[in-house]
């Protein structure tokens, strides 16, 4: 039976503005089990990174109000002190970002930066260095023994991302949050980084929360998927179940927008319109202005989350009622 590692319960994040609050993320619920890849998919600005940063307690701070629970290994991270959270970050939960250059120090070699993380475990310098080389090999860095002596600017984008993954691996976290880790890379390198992510799960039983706007990617690597739209999780389920029975109209449109294998399969679909801004407050379903199936109720009442299959939940007024 799967063992739960992380559970978000009714997580909502609102930002305080002059005359009230703006909802950035609303009532998010999902679980990540040990050794599982959970992909969070959605267009830019739908709140994926906000959720990830809230797990790490890395939101800018000051004007946000957070409600709900973030349970990691049975403990609500929202009740942790700053010191407790610092110990969890890196050691138990690691994070890699879209642009590794933002996280690497330009004046130190990448090897010394990774070994610094290992030295926190009080191992001697030679042993730390040997581990760095091994980690670089684990993340399939070309010429690993030489690359440890490179500075960040001497490496390609794909190599820098490998360094970041090696750095996270050096702490052996139980959960790795990968926030759009392949967005800035070309497709060949993207495929290689995804292979490394899959390897992590298999070799080290690491759980991974993979954040991406690329629905096509998740079919390759994820065990389960959560689809976010305008700050809400509109559908969650096992990857095979979602691809076989996509239920939310947004999920269906995302699937129709996937590149086809042959030119005979017709033109790519696009999703008309754009994600509403958090300043646009309207009652009802946030997707109503783009949804081809919208009905009157969609514009007045929030759609409830309904179980529509095994481990499959969808928030749509029409879900489970009729074949759309
Ligand atoms: Fe479309 Fe209505 Fe379902 Fe929203 S609730 S996705 S508008 S059918």
């Amino acid at each position: 039976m799967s063992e739960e590692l992380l559970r978000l319960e009714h997580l909502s994040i609102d930002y305080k503005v002059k005359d009230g609050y703006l909802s950035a993320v609303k009532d998010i619920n999902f679980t990540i089990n040990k050794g599982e890849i959970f992909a969070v998919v959605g267009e830019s600005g739908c709140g994926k990174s906000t959720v990830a940063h809230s797990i790490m307690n890395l939101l800018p701070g000051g004007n946000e109000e957070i409600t709900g629970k973030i349970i990691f290994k049975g403990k609500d991270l929202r009740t942790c002190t700053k010191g407790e959270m610092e110990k969890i970050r890196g050691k138990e939960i690691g994070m890699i970002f879209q642009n590794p250059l933002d996280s690497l120090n330009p004046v130190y070699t990448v090897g010394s930066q990774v070994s610094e993380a290992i030295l926190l475990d009080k191992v001697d310098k030679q042993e730390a260095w040997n581990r760095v080389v091994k980690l670089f090999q684990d993340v399939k860095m070309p010429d690993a023994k030489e690359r440890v002596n490179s500075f960040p600017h001497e490496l390609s984008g794909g190599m820098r991302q490998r360094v970041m993954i090696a750095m996270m691996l050096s702490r052996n976290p139980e959960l790795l949050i990968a926030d759009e880790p392949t967005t800035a890379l070309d497709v060949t390198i993207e495929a290689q980084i995804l292979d490394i992510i899959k390897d992590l799960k298999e070799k080290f039983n690491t759980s991974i929360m993979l954040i991406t706007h690329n629905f096509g990617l998740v079919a390759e690597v994820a065990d389960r998927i959560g689809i976010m739209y305008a700050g809400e999780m509109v559908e969650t389920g096992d990857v095979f179940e979602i691809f076989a029975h996509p239920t939310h109209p947004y999920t269906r449109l995302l699937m129709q927008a996937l590149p086809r294998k042959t030119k005979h399969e017709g033109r790519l679909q696009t999703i008309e319109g754009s994600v509403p801004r958090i300043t646009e407050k309207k009652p009802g379903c946030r997707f109503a202005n783009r949804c081809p199936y919208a009905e009157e109720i969609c514009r007045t009442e929030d759609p409830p989350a309904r179980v529509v299959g095994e481990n499959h939940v969808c928030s749509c007024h029409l879900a489970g009622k009729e074949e759309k």
Side-chain angles (χ1 to χ4, degrees), residues 102-290:
D102 292 343
S103 310
L104 291 168
N105 189 325
V107 300
Y108 294 107
T109 64
V110 287
S112 66
Q113 294 183 60
V114 177
S115 85
E116 216 172 284
I118 296 170
L119 288 169
L120 292 173
D121 285 338
K122 308 213 178 343
V123 295
D124 75 51
K125 282 192 177 170
Q126 186 55 50
E127 152 112 41
W129 196 252
N130 294 343
R131 273 208 230 164
V132 174
V133 174
K134 171 80 177 54
L135 282 166
F136 274 39
Q137 287 163 343
D138 282 344
V139 298
K140 302 188 176 76
M141 178 74 88
D143 306 318
K145 283 187 184 154
E146 284 76 46
R147 289 297 176 195
V148 286
N149 295 310
S150 301
F151 289 90
H153 72 271
E154 295 174 316
L155 303 179
S156 67
M159 288 180 188
R160 287 181 206 133
Q161 201 56 289
R162 284 167 215 259
V163 172
M164 286 314 300
I165 296 173
M167 196 180 285
M168 285 307 124
L169 273 185
S170 70
R171 310 295 294 140
N172 197 15
E174 289 171 75
L175 174 66
L176 177 68
I177 300 176
D179 189 0
E180 304 266 11
T182 61
T183 300
L185 306 175
D186 67 47
V187 283
T188 317
I189 306 298
E190 180 176 62
Q192 292 170 6
I193 296 289
L194 286 178
D195 276 346
I196 295 169
I197 288 177
K198 274 198 280 186
D199 275 2
L200 293 187
K201 176 188 130 165
E202 264 133 50
K203 265 200 214 159
F204 303 101
N205 201 32
T206 313
S207 305
I208 295 158
M209 176 175 165
L210 174 66
I211 296 171
T212 178
H213 62 271
N214 185 340
F215 201 54
L217 271 192
V218 302
E220 304 281 326
V221 292
D223 299 298
R224 288 191 307 116
I225 311 178
I227 292 114
M228 280 193 76
Y229 185 78
E232 296 174 13
M233 190 72 85
V234 294
E235 186 162 7
T236 53
D238 294 343
V239 68
F240 292 118
E241 165 73 12
I242 296 264
F243 273 84
H245 306 289
T247 303
H248 198 280
Y250 179 56
T251 311
R252 291 179 174 211
L253 288 170
L254 281 178
M255 285 180 71
Q256 284 165 18
L258 286 176
R260 305 291 197 273
K261 286 203 176 86
T262 71
K263 63 182 180 182
H264 305 296
E265 291 181 82
R267 285 168 66 90
L268 283 185
Q269 296 286 315
T270 51
I271 306 177
E272 296 294 322
S274 54
V275 183
R277 283 187 255 186
I278 62 171
T279 46
E280 287 175 45
K281 279 197 222 161
K282 280 188 188 161
C285 173
R286 301 278 282 157
F287 191 55
N289 64 337
R290 302 170 83 185

Side-chain angles (χ1 to χ4, degrees), residues 247 306-308 316-324:
T247 303
R306 287 197 172 94
V307 176
V308 292
C316 169
H317 282 297
L318 304 186
K321 288 194 171 167
E322 58 189 274
E323 190 55 34
K324 292 189 284 291

